[in-house]
Amino acid sequence: SHFGAIIRTTHLTGTVTDIGSTLGRISVIYLRKRCRRWRLNDVERAEVGVDARKLGVLFGLWSFYFVGGLIGIYMENITPGPPERALLLPASFTGGLGMFYMACRQVLKDYIKKLEQDRLESDLKEAHDVLAQMGNRLTALERNPSVSELDAEMGHMIEALHEVESDCENLCRQHSKMLERSESAQSKFHSEV
């Protein structure tokens, strides 16, 4: 702790600085339009919307930081024994929340992966059915050619194949991202150890 400070105030001052600059940016947009008596255009509305969402996050961070500090002061005063025991409650809460998140994250990942596999299987089955229908049509067309029916069937088959190709590319992209994340997490873990 620098000069005997117990709490790192840089977390709080950085958040308050961001809140002030964001409020200033929103104020400038509104003041500029009020002076010219124009309504906000789409870009300015989008900027104000993004800044308003950012303010929600920043106010939440600031509020929880402030409330956490007050709770920490209270817990230190009511906890018998060494003051370090006051950290057991927030550490237990944070650890439990982290484990809950990890459990839910894996369940959600598994669920999304299953949905993607089901969709891919459905697209493959559709492509197989279309190809089988096309084979039957071609056999029938050899006896009675109809070019417009053939063209429509070919278009449907090509669309089905494009969907399968797109799903395969998305799965490969997701798999490579997951590998990169796990490799970076492992390298980060090994560098910390």
Side-chain angles (χ1 to χ4, degrees):
S1 66
H2 189 64
F3 295 118
I6 305 290
I7 298 174
R8 286 192 58 178
T9 57
T10 55
H11 297 306
L12 187 61
T13 55
T15 303
V16 172
T17 301
D18 288 345
I19 289 172
S21 67
T22 305
L23 283 173
R25 200 169 30 255
I26 291 173
S27 299
V28 165
I29 290 172
Y30 279 117
L31 287 174
R32 190 177 333 136
K33 288 302 175 177
R34 184 173 176 211
C35 293
R36 294 183 184 162
R37 297 181 191 261
W38 293 338
R39 293 188 343 192
L40 296 177
N41 61 31
D42 291 338
V43 173
E44 291 167 333
R45 269 195 298 271
E47 287 178 359
V48 169
V50 168
D51 284 342
R53 286 190 293 277
K54 182 179 178 182
L55 278 176
V57 171
L58 291 172
F59 274 125
L61 285 171
W62 180 81
S63 299
F64 280 108
Y65 186 85
F66 185 74
V67 169
L70 292 177
I71 292 172
I73 292 169
Y74 177 74
M75 290 301 294
E76 183 180 359
N77 288 329
I78 67 164
T79 304
E84 291 80 20
R85 282 190 178 174
L87 293 176
L88 290 177
L89 179 67
S92 301
F93 177 75
T94 303
L97 199 60
M99 284 189 259
F100 177 74
Y101 168 75
M102 291 301 289
C104 289
R105 179 175 171 236
Q106 189 60 44
V107 168
L108 183 62
K109 281 173 53 176
D110 292 343
Y111 176 73
I112 290 172
K113 186 176 180 179
K114 175 79 170 115
L115 285 177
E116 287 293 323
Q117 287 175 343
D118 291 345
R119 182 176 171 203
L120 181 62
E121 287 174 9
S122 170
D123 288 344
L124 285 173
K125 183 182 180 316
E126 182 182 354
H128 183 268
D129 292 344
V130 168
L131 287 173
Q133 288 176 358
M134 187 55 91
N136 293 336
R137 292 274 186 181
L138 286 174
T139 305
L141 285 175
E142 288 176 356
R143 296 180 206 131
N144 185 11
S146 174
V147 176
S148 63
E149 289 179 0
L150 177 63
D151 188 45
E153 289 293 324
M154 287 295 288
H156 184 67
M157 182 179 71
I158 289 172
E159 286 178 16
L161 289 174
H162 282 298
E163 288 179 11
V164 169
E165 180 184 14
S166 174
D167 288 343
C168 288
E169 288 174 357
N170 287 338
L171 286 174
C172 289
R173 206 175 304 120
Q174 288 175 353
H175 183 70
S176 66
K177 284 181 183 178
M178 287 176 32
L179 285 175
E180 289 174 6
R181 287 183 189 145
S182 67
E183 289 173 0
S184 67
Q186 287 176 352
S187 65
K188 188 176 185 181
F189 174 76
H190 290 296
S191 67
E192 292 177 0
V193 173

